[in-house]
Amino acid sequence: LVNFFEECPQNVLLPYLPDLCQKMQATLEKKTMELVQTHRKLVLEQIITTIATIADTAENHFTLFYQSFMPNLKYIMENANDKELRLLRGKTIECISLIGLAVGKEVFLSDAEQIMNMLLKAQTDDGEQMDADDPQVSYMISAWARMCKIIGPQFTAYLPVVMPPLLRAAQIKPEVALVDSDEQVDEDEGWEFVPLSDQQKFGVKTAGLEDKNTACQMLVCYARELKEGFADYTEQVVKIMVPLLKFYFHDLIRSAAAESLPFLLESVKHKGDDYVRDMWNYICPELFKSLQTEMEPDILAVVMESVASCVEVLGVGFIDSLQMEELVEAMKNHLKKNYDKEEERKEARKDEDYDEEVEEGIEEELDQDDYLLGKIADIIHNLFGVYGEDFIQVFDKLTEYFVAMLAPDRPGLEHQWAICVFDDLIDFAPNSAPKYQQHFLQPMMHYLSDINPGVRQAAAYGVGALATKFPGANSPYLEFCKNCIPNLVNVINDPESREIENMSATENCISAISKIFKHIIGQENLDEATVVTWLSWLPIQEDDEESVHIYGFLLDLVENNNVYVLGDNNANLPDIIKILTEGIINKTIKSDDHPELMARIQAFIVPLQKNEAVWSAILAKLPETHKVLLTGQ
């Protein structure tokens, strides 16, 4: 059930929600009573996890059932104190916090204070920290994050209680030892040893490290969720976190240290540019050094994410020329290393010892390198986003690496990230795009037909960006965009185009054609067959960023009374309403993210609703889920 509800779309779950919750509530009550009477927890953990998953999928629709579940869950949380019940309590904490997130602050607030106090008691009871192996720890870290999201700025009231023990734990200095290799040590007492040489080994006591790691994760959570509300603690926390970028005893602590930095900068932005600049100048040397020296790929990826986020948070005027030079040098080193590694892989495949096992190692390394290339692309994306055309002079120092990555003999994943970088150039520095078109135009068209869906998606996005940034009949890219249409159509019409792995690429192709029609060709120049074919590709199912362009163009056609899209005597109105409501149901159209699009949809639908005969005829042709959305019944 848990696996099913995790993957189940909300609109599929909702019709069954009342009966499902009734049965779950009865089972929870029965098994809670069984726990009280016999101390047996059979099935209870699974029931609670299932309830949590249902709430997570149902979201605010779970509000009707909130009071049915919360009393029993609070009872378990408060009373499951025995050691053998710690996992049960952890899952209950998770369930309560997920329900709170689903129903929202207004509903959850009546229980929030009691639950927060129980969490505090669990964390700091008698001044003792939880055992390192306590299964509640990971659940509590996530629960605190959800509590912050639910109650928002009010969470700051708990910081004076929560922060002192947390800061102490974050500053724990690990117990270490250097012993002879032949010396007998008992690793059961919480020590781990690694050989340094033939004569010596180095040991660290792990128990304190887990406390330290938990504390660092929580500090990340608070800084991320509370923003300005965390400002009073940022100076202490940044002085803890920056040195931890070099904390080689524990990978996750280094990860938390890197992750925290952009959130800490964001927390103090209201204190003025000078304060932010001082903090950045404290962070920057160690962060950029970590970008150069971090050896663990997973942690390096987090460091790269941190750099990208810092660029975005800081904006213009904080990264000076020397820091920018250091950042570019670090990226160049990684790009050169990536290029050299691919050359080594080519040679390895030619070696006489090459076999399936070697290929497995190569594929694993490729996945790792792809992930890191994606993070470098994110840094460049944010640099373009912040500096626009002013980044071009710096970008010139990196261009050769991305041009090389577009070569046919390079891996498909390199093609994807190189195209993404040129997409960003078109988006954020369009005036400079013609300077580089010799490098990206031909590959962009060619890779629309690539076997890798990520490459197709990046190429399609680039074509759409060119149409958007260089509109009109005199566009320098008019012929290029028109010539790309057959390749885009082939992707959309492929029999497997709607498979999950291909969906984003397909929907980017639909969006690219929509942009070409809107900005380059002009809707008045589209014939009936073209419009009917384009309409047959809708609705889309996944891409909530491109939906604005796709559905926006649909509404352009409707608002201009395009006879091809409306049909004879407006016969296509039910289909158009179905397409738009499907977009709302599958959340490719969101009122919070797309307010202008939603306003246009309402302006289209409201007049139809006022004509009872027309509206009844439209509703008669819609599926039940769409009728419920439109009528509230």
Side-chain angles (χ1 to χ4, degrees):
L1 280 176
V2 171
N3 291 338
F4 175 77
F5 290 127
E6 278 180 345
E7 300 297 328
C8 179
Q10 189 184 83
N11 61 306
V12 174
L13 170 65
L14 292 184
Y16 305 98
L17 191 60
D19 288 344
L20 190 61
C21 285
Q22 184 181 4
K23 288 181 171 59
M24 286 290 170
Q25 192 270 334
T27 309
L28 175 66
E29 201 162 289
K30 179 182 175 184
K31 293 299 176 182
T32 303
M33 188 64 67
E34 196 174 289
L35 176 71
V36 173
Q37 293 172 348
T38 67
H39 216 60
R40 286 190 302 172
K41 55 175 181 171
L42 192 66
V43 185
L44 194 52
E45 288 176 4
Q46 288 81 1
I47 287 289
I48 287 170
T49 302
T50 306
I51 293 166
T53 311
I54 292 169
D56 194 35
T57 301
E59 294 178 325
N60 64 313
H61 298 282
F62 198 81
T63 301
L64 290 172
F65 314 101
Y66 177 82
Q67 290 299 340
S68 302
F69 290 103
M70 195 53 68
N72 278 321
L73 292 170
K74 287 196 299 183
Y75 179 85
I76 295 169
M77 180 177 172
E78 188 169 17
N79 294 285
N81 296 316
D82 294 351
K83 192 167 186 178
E84 63 269 21
L85 298 178
R86 290 185 305 183
L87 182 58
L88 171 65
R89 192 168 187 236
K91 291 190 174 188
T92 306
I93 289 168
E94 176 187 54
C95 183
I96 288 172
S97 63
L98 280 168
I99 289 174
L101 205 56
V103 302
K105 179 178 178 179
E106 197 172 309
V107 175
F108 188 68
L109 204 56
S110 59
D111 291 306
E113 185 174 356
Q114 182 186 0
I115 289 164
M116 293 287 288
N117 288 334
M118 284 193 283
L119 278 172
L120 285 170
K121 188 174 186 296
Q123 183 180 317
T124 61
D125 199 18
D126 299 323
E128 294 180 4
Q129 291 290 319
M130 290 179 170
D131 293 341
D133 61 349
D134 193 325
Q136 296 177 89
V137 171
S138 61
Y139 292 109
M140 286 192 70
I141 290 172
S142 300
W144 282 122
R146 295 186 194 110
M147 291 297 176
C148 283
K149 287 179 183 177
I150 295 163
I151 68 174
Q154 290 172 259
F155 189 86
T156 56
Y158 296 92
L159 289 179
V161 178
V162 174
M163 286 300 291
L166 208 54
L167 292 170
R168 284 196 298 272
Q171 295 176 85
I172 290 172
K173 295 191 185 303
E175 289 186 57
V176 297
L178 193 62
V179 298
D180 293 337
S181 294
D182 56 1
E183 185 175 331
Q184 294 297 314
V185 288
D186 188 356
E187 296 198 10
D188 290 338
E189 293 184 2
W191 286 85
E192 284 186 7
F193 287 87
V194 292
L196 282 182
S197 64
D198 292 339
Q199 288 81 34
Q200 290 184 312
K201 53 187 175 182
F202 179 80
V204 59
K205 194 161 189 178
T206 57
L209 290 185
E210 289 311 315
D211 289 342
K212 187 180 184 76
N213 177 44
T214 300
C216 290
Q217 301 294 336
M218 286 189 172
L219 289 172
V220 173
C221 157
Y222 300 150
R224 179 181 62 238
E225 301 299 335
L226 296 177
K227 298 180 172 58
E228 288 185 18
F230 195 66
D232 290 345
Y233 298 94
T234 51
E235 191 169 337
Q236 288 172 277
V237 174
V238 79
K239 288 178 180 176
I240 292 169
M241 291 301 204
V242 168
L244 292 179
L245 291 168
K246 298 183 290 188
F247 193 82
Y248 295 108
F249 302 120
H250 200 295
D251 290 352
L252 292 179
I253 291 175
R254 294 202 306 288
S255 175
E259 188 182 356
S260 71
L261 301 178
F263 301 130
L264 294 172
L265 286 167
E266 190 174 9
S267 295
V268 299
K269 287 203 81 174
H270 68 288
K271 291 192 172 188
D273 288 355
D274 289 343
Y275 193 95
V276 174
R277 189 172 287 103
D278 287 344
M279 182 176 283
W280 168 245
N281 287 337
Y282 177 73
I283 289 170
C284 181
E286 294 303 326
L287 180 60
F288 285 1
K289 190 182 294 181
S290 183
L291 184 61
Q292 291 271 33
T293 60
E294 176 58 59
M295 299 299 293
E296 286 295 325
D298 290 344
I299 311 305
L300 178 58
V302 177
V303 172
M304 290 178 172
E305 285 176 11
S306 179
V307 171
S309 297
C310 285
V311 169
E312 185 176 34
V313 168
L314 288 168
V316 177
F318 291 91
I319 302 177
D320 64 35
S321 58
L322 289 177
Q323 291 168 346
M324 185 67 79
E325 193 176 313
E326 187 178 356
L327 174 56
V328 169
E329 196 60 34
M331 288 193 287
K332 280 173 66 175
N333 289 341
H334 284 297
L335 290 169
K336 186 176 186 309
K337 189 184 297 182
N338 176 77
Y339 186 89
D340 292 343
K341 284 168 76 174
E342 177 57 24
E343 294 303 305
E344 290 169 9
R345 286 190 283 265
K346 287 179 187 174
E347 292 304 314
R349 286 184 169 124
K350 297 175 186 174
D351 194 276
E352 61 180 21
D353 294 329
Y354 173 75
D355 56 18
E356 285 185 14
E357 189 176 338
V358 172
E359 181 59 29
E360 273 183 31
I362 287 174
E363 291 297 326
E364 189 177 322
E365 189 181 71
L366 263 174
D367 287 344
Q368 208 173 71
D369 290 349
D370 165 51
Y371 190 56
L372 293 176
L373 276 177
K375 299 305 174 186
I376 292 173
D378 288 343
I379 295 173
I380 292 174
H381 171 85
N382 287 352
L383 286 166
F384 266 124
V386 169
Y387 295 97
E389 300 283 352
D390 291 338
F391 181 61
I392 288 296
Q393 193 173 353
V394 178
F395 178 66
D396 279 340
K397 299 174 183 177
L398 300 169
T399 306
E400 63 177 296
Y401 296 99
F402 294 108
V403 171
M405 285 162 60
L406 289 171
D409 64 337
R410 303 299 290 182
L413 295 167
E414 287 192 17
H415 298 156
Q416 176 184 344
W417 295 120
I419 294 171
C420 283
V421 166
F422 285 111
D423 289 350
D424 286 331
L425 186 149
I426 297 164
D427 261 342
F428 298 113
N431 294 339
S432 299
K435 172 183 171 183
Y436 298 92
Q437 66 183 33
Q438 61 181 313
H439 301 307
F440 67 73
L441 278 184
Q442 191 278 330
M444 196 173 279
M445 182 184 289
H446 174 73
Y447 290 132
L448 285 170
S449 306
D450 196 84
I451 192 171
N452 184 316
V455 178
R456 297 198 300 274
Q457 178 181 348
Y461 181 88
V463 174
L466 284 170
T468 304
K469 296 297 180 180
F470 297 89
N474 296 320
S475 169
Y477 299 107
L478 184 145
E479 290 305 318
F480 172 79
C481 288
K482 283 184 175 181
N483 291 337
C484 285
I485 290 176
N487 285 358
L488 292 164
V489 171
N490 287 341
V491 174
I492 297 165
N493 288 340
D494 187 276
E496 296 183 355
S497 67
R498 303 292 176 154
E499 297 294 323
I500 290 175
E501 64 272 17
N502 295 321
M503 191 76 78
S504 289
T506 300
E507 293 181 354
N508 267 264
C509 288
I510 296 170
S511 182
I513 291 177
S514 305
K515 292 170 185 175
I516 293 169
F517 287 172
K518 178 182 175 75
H519 298 291
I520 297 285
I521 295 175
Q523 59 175 281
E524 68 279 2
N525 297 315
L526 300 175
D527 60 31
E528 182 175 8
T530 300
V531 173
V532 169
T533 299
W534 177 83
L535 191 63
S536 73
W537 297 332
L538 307 186
I540 61 170
Q541 299 295 327
E542 186 175 286
D543 200 323
D544 59 353
E545 292 185 9
E546 295 306 309
S547 65
V548 176
H549 304 287
I550 296 167
Y551 294 126
F553 183 64
L554 173 59
L555 290 167
D556 288 345
L557 295 170
V558 169
E559 289 162 1
N560 283 288
N561 294 312
N562 184 289
V563 67
Y564 303 143
V565 79
L566 290 171
D568 293 336
N569 298 316
N570 294 329
N572 292 342
L573 279 177
D575 292 330
I576 295 168
I577 297 289
K578 182 181 176 183
I579 286 167
L580 293 171
T581 50
E582 179 65 26
I584 296 169
I585 289 168
N586 67 30
K587 296 187 177 179
T588 51
I589 302 173
K590 301 176 185 176
S591 55
D592 290 344
D593 295 344
H594 313 124
E596 290 182 15
L597 183 63
M598 285 296 290
R600 291 178 71 189
I601 292 171
Q602 288 171 348
F604 166 53
I605 290 177
V606 168
L608 298 174
Q609 291 174 321
K610 290 178 180 177
N611 187 322
E612 191 173 336
V614 170
W615 189 240
S616 296
I618 290 171
L619 289 177
K621 295 182 178 180
L622 296 181
E624 198 61 35
T625 50
H626 295 59
K627 290 180 189 176
V628 170
L629 177 71
L630 291 165
T631 64
Q633 299 175 357

